[in-house]
Amino acid sequence: MASLGLRVMYVEDDPDIREALQEVLEAAGYHVTVAATAGEGLETLRREQFHLVITDYNLPDFDGARMLAQAAESGLLNCESLVLTGASHLDGTAGYRVIRKPIDVDKFLFRIHEILAPVRDRELVRTKENLQRTQQKEEGVRGVRVELTLYISEASPASLRALRNLEKLLADYERSQVRLAVVDLSKERPPSFDEDRIAFTPTLVKRFPAPRAYYLGTLDQFQAVTDLLNDAQVTRKK
């Protein structure tokens, strides 16, 4: 379910490097679109919007820094950007983040996590508000049949994926029958945290009806949560 992650465009002319880094980014939960040249990158930016553009510096038509500059001048670069390079001499990279090759994968992913943290935080808030707004709108139409608490931590890709997966799954059910609380443990520690003995995030807890049930991770496997909703006799929308 990589498409539930934040959107990244990666511009790299070497097909082996492009494919390898695309796999790394998608495994980390990002939705990745690739381009092989600066011109192709600009054309893609005209059609799609991204949260981050990553580009190699040395490209066959013109360099990645020039591509970013042209995109900014045309109003196409409405996101964060990052330049990767093994070149010793760079032109036009002032004002852009640059990572030198060879790249340590763990440090690279951590850097992207830092760059996109504010974006993920906004997405977490938006998704949480959407879930709560839908619940408030439908509350009281039918009796609550199941009570769920989703525990997340910080603006992590895994937490965002879990939130979006749960939002997508619950859209198929009568939300008035589902009482959902979303708890960001980086900001609050309600009594339910100790009651549920939370050790990992994200974790979804079925608190009612008893007994409690725990679902760890990004909730990519919908069937387990679908089974719990069906067991609780939550009505599926037609």
Side-chain angles (χ1 to χ4, degrees):
M1 301 299 292
S3 62
L4 294 175
L6 300 181
R7 294 180 56 80
V8 174
M9 183 174 74
Y10 175 42
V11 186
E12 167 63 63
D13 62 306
D14 187 307
D16 293 330
I17 296 175
R18 186 171 64 242
E19 181 178 352
L21 195 55
Q22 180 180 6
E23 290 179 357
V24 167
L25 290 167
E26 289 181 342
Y30 299 103
H31 177 72
V32 183
T33 298
V34 296
T37 66
E40 187 179 336
L42 287 171
E43 185 59 34
T44 303
L45 284 170
R46 290 187 181 95
R47 300 192 310 265
E48 303 178 49
Q49 292 187 337
F50 298 92
H51 297 98
L52 173 66
V53 173
I54 303 172
T55 180
D56 190 52
Y57 181 77
N58 290 317
L59 296 171
D61 42 0
F62 51 92
D63 66 64
R66 182 179 165 194
M67 182 199 74
L68 293 176
Q70 287 192 15
E73 290 171 3
S74 303
L76 301 175
L77 192 65
N78 301 310
C79 64
E80 304 293 341
S81 60
L82 183 62
V83 177
L84 310 182
T85 183
S88 57
H89 179 72
L90 301 176
D91 291 319
T93 57
Y96 296 112
R97 301 180 183 89
V98 177
I99 293 183
R100 298 276 183 176
K101 298 177 181 178
I103 298 169
D104 179 279
V105 170
D106 288 338
K107 291 180 179 179
F108 173 69
L109 290 177
F110 182 76
R111 183 65 177 130
I112 291 178
H113 177 86
E114 285 186 321
I115 292 171
L116 291 178
V119 179
R120 280 193 304 273
D121 193 50
R122 289 195 297 271
E123 289 293 309
L124 282 168
V125 170
R126 183 198 64 78
T127 306
K128 180 177 178 179
E129 288 176 347
N130 284 346
L131 284 166
Q132 293 175 336
R133 192 179 299 114
T134 302
Q135 178 171 305
Q136 291 170 356
K137 182 178 179 181
E138 299 184 0
E139 196 169 47
V141 177
R142 292 187 178 91
V144 172
R145 297 182 179 178
V146 65
E147 181 180 339
L148 305 173
T149 300
L150 177 63
Y151 294 93
I152 59 177
S153 182
E154 299 182 344
S156 70
S159 291
L160 181 56
R161 280 176 77 176
L163 259 175
R164 289 189 171 173
N165 280 340
L166 188 58
E167 181 181 37
K168 183 176 180 180
L169 189 150
L170 291 179
D172 293 333
Y173 290 84
E174 292 294 342
R175 284 297 309 281
S176 60
Q177 299 176 7
V178 180
R179 177 174 294 135
L180 172 67
V182 180
V183 178
D184 185 346
L185 294 178
S186 67
K187 296 181 174 63
E188 58 177 323
R189 293 293 178 95
S192 64
F193 167 73
D194 293 321
E195 295 169 2
D196 292 334
R197 306 184 304 281
I198 298 302
F200 303 95
T201 58
T203 294
L204 178 68
V205 182
K206 184 200 74 171
R207 309 191 82 231
F208 170 83
R212 279 183 173 85
Y214 296 79
Y215 304 84
L216 275 64
T218 57
L219 306 179
D220 287 339
Q221 301 301 320
F222 279 8
Q223 192 58 51
V225 183
T226 298
D227 288 344
L228 92 81
L229 294 172
N230 292 338
D231 290 344
Q233 297 184 343
V234 178
T235 304
R236 184 185 286 269
K237 292 179 179 178
K238 297 180 180 180

